[in-house]
Amino acid sequence: NAGVTQTPKFQVLKTGQSMTLQCAQDMNHNSMYWYRQDPGMGLRLIYYSASEGTTDKGEVPNGYNVSRLNKREFSLRLESAAPSQTSVYFCASFMGLDQPQHFGDGTRLSIL
Amino acid sequence: GEDVEQSLFLSVREGDSSVINCTYTDSSSTYLYWYKQEPGAGLQLLTYIFSNMDMKQDQRLTVLLNKKDKHLSLRIADTQTGDSAIYFCVSDSWGKLQFGAGTQVVVTP
């Protein structure tokens, strides 16, 4: 099983450019999440989607938008990238109680 | 807000036991997880414990939970060089995760 797949794995952008990070899961999970990881910090929640058709803000949503395209796919969009958004982005999916979240391998994003 | 705190660094000799400690504040946590992250890689779930348990053993890993003090620990027996990584303590409150900053474990020969 592929689990949670993120694309791309690496990306370099210039300030002001836009970009969409893709995430897909094949585990039929209802909930999906986007996190960012900065040096010396744990993961912080950007947005999540508890179920298909719903999205909610997390701890650090500013500068981002999301789309839950269908049950499998949850994308994260940077409309106008800023250097402060340089980070590693992780997507995760979650079945529900008694199961942990499953993480993708991350997208390493640098904004110059 | 809710918080998860853990020590930032641990150095251990190969073959010794490692103990990583964590405290959390969210009393509604249902699960507590330990994730491992190797350099440049994603997060790998190591083990987890349900909040009504006080101990869980899984091969070389032992998790102890003191719910009253909101203290969690991970013990790795017979630590190997492959155990060098960052370990994240994570509290889960009905699907909402709170991450600690991670403990970097360095295993020396």
Side-chain angles (χ1 to χ4, degrees):
Chain A
N1 284 344
V4 179
T5 303
Q6 292 183 235
T7 54
K9 294 192 185 309
F10 301 94
Q11 185 71 48
V12 179
L13 293 178
K14 293 183 179 179
T15 298
Q17 287 185 314
S18 62
M19 165 151 198
T20 300
L21 280 60
Q22 308 286 354
C23 175
Q25 52 94 6
D26 62 2
M27 295 172 284
N28 202 36
H29 287 173
N30 289 320
S31 302
M32 297 185 73
Y33 303 78
W34 277 105
Y35 296 89
R36 61 177 287 172
Q37 183 183 26
D38 299 302
M41 300 181 73
L43 275 66
R44 293 182 293 167
L45 182 64
I46 304 170
Y47 269 94
Y48 67 101
S49 170
S51 61
E52 187 178 354
T54 69
T55 61
D56 286 288
K57 294 179 180 179
E59 184 185 351
V60 288
N62 291 346
Y64 305 95
N65 286 303
V66 290
S67 295
R68 184 73 183 268
L69 303 169
N70 47 55
K71 193 170 187 179
R72 290 187 64 247
E73 298 172 289
F74 187 39
S75 63
L76 178 73
R77 183 160 178 84
L78 287 70
E79 288 292 350
S80 179
S84 62
Q85 294 177 304
T86 293
S87 189
V88 182
Y89 291 85
F90 287 98
C91 177
S93 69
F94 178 59
M95 168 64 86
L97 290 179
D98 300 333
Q99 296 293 326
Q101 289 190 13
H102 293 258
F103 286 83
D105 287 338
T107 294
R108 283 148 185 83
L109 184 60
S110 292
I111 297 151
L112 307 177
Chain B
E2 306 298 351
D3 227 2
V4 176
E5 294 190 358
Q6 51 185 125
S7 52
L8 295 182
F9 184 81
L10 176 68
S11 179
V12 62
R13 280 193 176 179
E14 192 174 7
D16 288 350
S17 292
S18 311
V19 179
I20 308 169
N21 293 301
C22 167
T23 57
Y24 62 98
T25 58
D26 189 349
S27 57
S28 64
S29 296
T30 50
Y31 287 90
L32 294 133
Y33 305 107
W34 286 103
Y35 281 89
K36 176 183 180 183
Q37 186 181 36
E38 297 182 60
L43 276 74
Q44 173 195 354
L45 178 67
L46 274 184
T47 187
Y48 62 97
I49 189 167
F50 189 47
S51 59
N52 70 353
M53 297 170 63
D54 51 21
M55 187 181 90
K56 181 179 180 181
Q57 187 145 7
D58 185 0
Q59 299 182 333
R60 293 191 296 122
L61 306 177
T62 302
V63 179
L64 296 177
L65 174 60
N66 181 328
K67 192 174 181 181
K68 174 177 168 290
D69 294 339
K70 297 190 184 68
H71 182 268
L72 183 75
S73 68
L74 173 69
R75 179 177 180 270
I76 306 172
D78 186 25
T79 309
Q80 303 297 307
T81 54
D83 295 324
S84 291
I86 299 175
Y87 291 80
F88 290 97
C89 173
V90 184
S91 73
D92 180 350
S93 177
W94 305 99
K96 180 183 173 185
L97 301 190
Q98 290 284 332
F99 284 78
T103 299
Q104 182 168 6
V105 173
V106 174
V107 182
T108 57

